[in-house]
Amino acid sequence: MAVTLREIAKATGLSVPTVGNVLSTAGHRHSAKTREVVLDAARRMGYRPNASARAIRSGRFGCLALILSRQKTRTHSYLPIGLLDGIEAELGQHDMHLTVTRVDDSLLAEDGVLPKVLRQSTADGLIVHYTHELPETIQAALKNNQVPIIGTNAKLDAGSIYPDDYSATKELTARLYEMGHRRIALIQYLHTPLPGETLSLRLKNAHYSVADRRRGYIDAMVERGLVPEFAPPEGLIAHEQFVDAANRLMNRPDRPTAVIAYSERELLPLIHVCRSAGLSIPKDVSVTFFGSDDQILLGLPLSAIQIPLERMGREAVRCVVQAIESPGPSIPSIALRYQIRDRMDSVAVAKK
Amino acid sequence: MAVTLREIAKATGLSVPTVGNVLSTAGHRHSAKTREVVLDAARRMGYRPNASARAIRSGRFGCLALILSRQKTRTHSYLPIGLLDGIEAELGQHDMHLTVTRVDDSLLAEDGVLPKVLRQSTADGLIVHYTHELPETIQAALKNNQVPIIGTNAKLDAGSIYPDDYSATKELTARLYEMGHRRIALIQYLHTPLPGETLSLRLKNAHYSVADRRRGYIDAMVERGLVPEFAPPEGLIAHEQFVDAANRLMNRPDRPTAVIAYSERELLPLIHVCRSAGLSIPKDVSVTFFGSDDQILLGLPLSAIQIPLERMGREAVRCVVQAIESPGPSIPSIALRYQIRDRMDSVAVAKK
DNA sequence: ATGAAAGCGCTAACAA
DNA sequence: TTGTTAGCGCTTTCAT
């Protein structure tokens, strides 16, 4: 059993509240000698306050829960470390900690087998990191939880923090234009539908950024009288065809001088094709992509348009904590501006 | 404020213990009518038991803490989702939940600014996921925590769960031999030292699997009278040279017919070089690699030697929980066997 | 079958 | 400056 105030009180011959005062809030109202004795004993005995006891007393858990969705059908869903960093940094400011739980996107969730964090009262607020839609049961459970809740990475009318992909792509395209580029392509692959998934469902299930980056790019191009060009044109191909699509795009006399890749996934076939065709990056082709980190692919250092994961985490915590401290009707959504950085290693001014 | 037993008691006209009994342990000892009334009210009012109150009563937090190290100097440290899955699955068996915290690998940690999870008493046990060495201060703080603690992904004398990379590589090499391969190479890049990092320190800081996979490979080769071949021979190169190294390896008349890649990072230059040289995988070259998931690179489906992350998570929880329930002197280390799967898409029988 | 009492560890209010 | 009392939400006796 862990060391309690009572044990320290017994060891020092003082009362429990005295010991508690010295070790937490009101230490200044005690004699130097007492403080010395208590602090010394606490250190020696390895005292650490019981967080649950404090939670009960204060009516606050001092804890937020991060709910991660889990998708059985597709692999490689994961917790971006930048998000966690942002969340933890901001939580530290409020002396709070984090509980993490995953929620199954399967029929199992229908059986009322909710994770413990949702079944019991464990946190003062929830951050739901959507990678896709959550099942009804979970949604209901979340609403029933009488604590503030916010979503990240999803574009909702209220209560979500998401990167502003429309503006980012628009600005990025404008930026490339200013650097002299006229043939700018957006390369964006979508997987062919899963078995049993219709095409329209596939598109509807896609992340909001698929449509938003597309729109931002189109608007910027059209504004400047340029013709938007997508690879592949229909946007939807099987994984094996990625290289072919990149080949078709880059092995043309009027190939683009700048390419915006939707994500890191689009990057690899592109780089491969460029290398094989003897095209130099960034001299012959400028490459930009949306990602969480700069990449080194096939020896080429590539600078990413960095998804503001850390700020997303920070903002999410900030909003939830605010809602906890002064409960209001609802949390407004926030579209986070990207920072299109000044230094883009893999982008060059277009040659005449 | 959340709904409490007292509120339900008030609403139903019953006593707090009665309501509590029905809703938790001893429901069977009450009349059907009472049960009905209580359960109905609880559902209607959205009752969820206060986890902290239970923790106080029971003397158990019902919670484990996962400590992730954070390395400022190198990016891309992250929480493998498979580990989290394993941890959560096993925790669910014990009706426990998970707290996650990151610990800075910087001097800040020296200032006694420990994360709240370590400063306070919040969990019944700790799982420390090492990606590298933790600073002394943190190590000390962990020891002082009077709860069971286990490390993952680190090879220690006691208290760690780690994949058995030696045996895995040895078996894998044997397996390739049985399929007719004689020229088998291990491709394993190490980054050049960071500024201020000596070469020997760089090697010492490397993950245990670097040495273990190397040893397993060498032992298997030597046992069969074959000559181990590494690319690059010295093992230590800069990132930009990865492609050159792969080129040197594969553009030779006596090029290997099978390649074991240390990790996913080694894979990409290899695939690129093979594609560019017109070498077919797996027809001309068999490729295997250590990774968390199968990969599709440049249109080629590659089957990974899967690092047993999920089992690592499960075992870690199992061991810690056991130590919590029956405290013993120390937790023994466990080397987890890999499962070299029967189906290896990217491996073919060697041609004569 | 139900309720009264007690106590887990901690802290705020009050009394000494 | 220090100690006493009380109570947060829950559960485990033990009476009724």
Side-chain angles (χ1 to χ4, degrees):
Chain A
M1 201 55 177
V3 180
T4 65
L5 288 183
R6 184 153 63 172
E7 293 175 52
I8 297 180
K10 206 174 296 176
T12 57
L14 293 160
S15 77
V16 170
T18 300
V19 174
N21 282 339
V22 171
L23 289 176
S24 54
T25 41
H28 45 274
R29 300 194 298 100
H30 287 269
S31 76
K33 170 117 189 278
T34 305
R35 281 215 306 265
E36 179 75 20
V37 168
V38 169
L39 290 171
D40 190 58
R43 204 174 308 120
R44 228 183 31 248
M45 301 168 73
Y47 173 76
R48 270 162 319 118
N50 185 313
S52 290
R54 285 193 166 174
I56 289 235
R57 272 288 336 195
S58 66
R60 289 270 184 91
F61 293 103
C63 170
L64 293 188
L66 175 65
I67 318 284
L68 299 170
S69 57
R70 169 202 278 139
Q71 203 172 17
K72 279 274 169 69
T73 45
R74 294 189 191 280
T75 54
H76 233 75
S77 140
Y78 76 115
L79 167 60
I81 205 69
L83 181 72
L84 189 57
D85 278 339
I87 290 175
E88 293 239 314
E90 186 66 24
L91 279 178
Q93 303 283 311
H94 301 276
D95 197 35
M96 297 180 81
H97 66 278
L98 185 71
T99 278
V100 176
T101 196
R102 298 197 75 195
V103 163
D104 245 325
D105 184 25
S106 72
L107 292 179
L108 281 178
E110 313 285 340
D111 301 352
V113 188
L114 291 172
K116 185 192 171 198
V117 172
L118 294 181
R119 247 169 29 234
Q120 302 196 1
S121 194
T122 48
D124 301 315
L126 306 179
I127 299 173
V128 183
H129 185 69
Y130 293 84
T131 53
H132 59 285
E133 216 53 38
L134 292 171
E136 296 283 330
T137 339
I138 303 294
Q139 303 248 21
L142 291 174
K143 301 277 178 204
N144 279 349
N145 242 293
Q146 295 295 15
V147 296
I149 172 173
I150 204 158
T152 51
N153 197 32
K155 198 175 162 182
L156 308 174
D157 287 342
S160 78
I161 315 276
Y162 61 93
D164 186 352
D165 283 286
Y166 172 78
S167 303
T169 319
K170 199 170 172 185
E171 276 173 37
L172 175 59
T173 308
R175 182 77 187 283
L176 292 169
Y177 180 90
E178 284 157 20
M179 293 173 85
H181 294 281
R182 292 301 175 265
R183 294 195 304 277
I184 306 169
L186 174 64
I187 178 167
Q188 182 180 52
Y189 302 138
L190 275 178
H191 282 292
T192 40
L194 297 170
E197 192 181 36
T198 67
L199 175 61
S200 66
L201 190 64
R202 179 79 205 92
L203 285 166
K204 194 168 145 288
N205 283 345
H207 194 255
Y208 76 91
S209 62
V210 171
D212 276 20
R213 289 184 195 160
R214 198 177 168 100
R215 272 199 309 123
Y217 164 72
I218 292 177
D219 287 0
M221 291 294 275
V222 168
E223 266 180 25
R224 289 165 183 77
L226 301 177
V227 182
E229 170 165 33
F230 300 96
E234 65 292 349
L236 202 89
I237 56 173
H239 217 145
E240 306 84 50
Q241 302 170 301
F242 282 13
V243 175
D244 288 342
N247 246 322
R248 276 197 300 277
L249 180 70
M250 301 312 293
N251 282 325
R252 296 184 335 204
D254 65 332
R255 63 162 183 271
T257 63
V259 179
I260 302 171
Y262 169 74
S263 75
E264 304 183 3
R265 205 182 42 186
E266 277 79 6
L267 211 51
L268 185 46
L270 183 66
I271 306 293
H272 172 68
V273 162
C274 287
R275 270 196 77 113
S276 295
L279 295 173
S280 152
I281 296 170
K283 247 176 49 199
D284 299 320
V285 189
S286 288
V287 173
T288 60
F289 70 102
F290 287 84
S292 54
D293 266 311
D294 289 352
Q295 288 257 346
I296 299 182
L297 284 185
L298 299 177
L300 290 171
L302 299 169
S303 37
I305 307 299
Q306 282 190 298
I307 298 166
L309 288 170
E310 184 157 341
R311 271 160 56 222
M312 189 157 76
R314 294 195 88 106
E315 283 301 311
V317 171
R318 218 183 41 72
C319 289
V320 172
V321 168
Q322 188 168 0
I324 291 166
E325 281 165 3
S326 54
S330 74
I331 304 176
S333 283
I334 296 180
L336 290 176
R337 304 291 295 200
Y338 277 77
Q339 285 168 354
I340 312 290
R341 293 172 306 164
D342 290 328
R343 187 176 142 280
M344 300 200 287
D345 285 345
S346 46
V347 173
V349 173
K351 286 181 288 193
K352 280 287 151 214
Chain B
M1 201 54 177
V3 180
T4 66
L5 287 182
R6 184 154 64 173
E7 293 175 52
I8 297 180
K10 206 174 296 174
T12 57
L14 292 160
S15 75
V16 169
T18 300
V19 174
N21 281 339
V22 170
L23 289 175
S24 54
T25 41
H28 45 275
R29 300 194 299 101
H30 287 269
S31 77
K33 170 112 187 284
T34 304
R35 281 216 306 265
E36 178 75 19
V37 168
V38 169
L39 290 172
D40 190 58
R43 205 174 307 120
R44 227 182 34 247
M45 302 169 72
Y47 173 76
R48 272 162 318 115
N50 185 312
S52 290
R54 284 193 166 173
I56 289 233
R57 272 292 328 198
S58 66
R60 290 270 184 91
F61 293 102
C63 171
L64 294 188
L66 175 64
I67 318 284
L68 299 170
S69 56
R70 168 203 279 140
Q71 203 171 18
K72 281 274 169 66
T73 44
R74 293 189 191 280
T75 53
H76 232 77
S77 141
Y78 77 115
L79 167 60
I81 205 67
L83 181 72
L84 188 57
D85 279 339
I87 290 174
E88 292 239 314
E90 186 67 24
L91 280 178
Q93 304 282 311
H94 302 277
D95 197 35
M96 297 179 84
H97 66 278
L98 185 71
T99 279
V100 176
T101 196
R102 298 196 75 196
V103 163
D104 246 324
D105 183 26
S106 72
L107 292 179
L108 281 178
E110 314 284 340
D111 301 351
V113 187
L114 291 172
K116 185 191 170 198
V117 172
L118 294 181
R119 246 170 30 235
Q120 302 196 0
S121 193
T122 48
D124 302 314
L126 306 178
I127 300 173
V128 183
H129 185 68
Y130 292 83
T131 53
H132 59 286
E133 215 54 37
L134 292 171
E136 297 282 332
T137 339
I138 302 294
Q139 303 248 21
L142 291 173
K143 301 277 178 204
N144 279 350
N145 242 293
Q146 295 294 15
V147 296
I149 173 173
I150 204 157
T152 51
N153 197 31
K155 197 173 161 183
L156 307 174
D157 286 342
S160 78
I161 315 277
Y162 60 93
D164 185 352
D165 283 286
Y166 172 78
S167 302
T169 319
K170 199 170 172 185
E171 277 173 35
L172 174 60
T173 308
R175 182 78 186 283
L176 291 169
Y177 181 91
E178 284 157 20
M179 294 173 84
H181 294 280
R182 293 300 176 268
R183 294 196 304 279
I184 306 169
L186 174 64
I187 178 167
Q188 183 179 52
Y189 302 139
L190 274 178
H191 282 291
T192 41
L194 296 171
E197 191 181 37
T198 66
L199 175 62
S200 67
L201 190 64
R202 178 81 205 90
L203 285 166
K204 196 168 144 287
N205 283 345
H207 193 255
Y208 76 90
S209 63
V210 172
D212 276 21
R213 290 185 194 158
R214 200 176 167 100
R215 273 200 307 122
Y217 164 72
I218 292 176
D219 286 2
M221 291 294 275
V222 168
E223 266 181 25
R224 289 165 183 76
L226 300 177
V227 182
E229 170 165 31
F230 300 96
E234 66 291 351
L236 201 88
I237 56 174
H239 216 145
E240 305 84 51
Q241 303 170 301
F242 282 13
V243 176
D244 288 343
N247 247 321
R248 276 198 300 278
L249 180 69
M250 301 312 294
N251 282 326
R252 297 185 334 204
D254 65 333
R255 63 161 185 270
T257 63
V259 179
I260 302 171
Y262 169 74
S263 76
E264 304 183 1
R265 205 182 43 186
E266 278 78 6
L267 211 50
L268 185 45
L270 183 66
I271 307 293
H272 171 69
V273 162
C274 287
R275 269 197 76 112
S276 296
L279 295 173
S280 151
I281 296 171
K283 247 175 50 199
D284 299 322
V285 189
S286 288
V287 173
T288 60
F289 71 102
F290 287 84
S292 55
D293 267 311
D294 290 353
Q295 289 258 347
I296 299 183
L297 285 185
L298 299 177
L300 291 171
L302 299 169
S303 37
I305 307 300
Q306 283 190 296
I307 299 166
L309 288 169
E310 184 158 342
R311 271 160 57 222
M312 190 158 75
R314 296 194 87 108
E315 283 302 310
V317 171
R318 217 182 42 72
C319 289
V320 172
V321 168
Q322 187 167 2
I324 291 166
E325 281 166 2
S326 52
S330 74
I331 305 176
S333 283
I334 297 180
L336 289 176
R337 305 291 294 203
Y338 278 77
Q339 284 168 355
I340 312 290
R341 295 171 307 165
D342 290 329
R343 186 176 144 279
M344 299 199 287
D345 285 346
S346 47
V347 172
V349 173
K351 286 182 289 194
K352 279 286 154 230

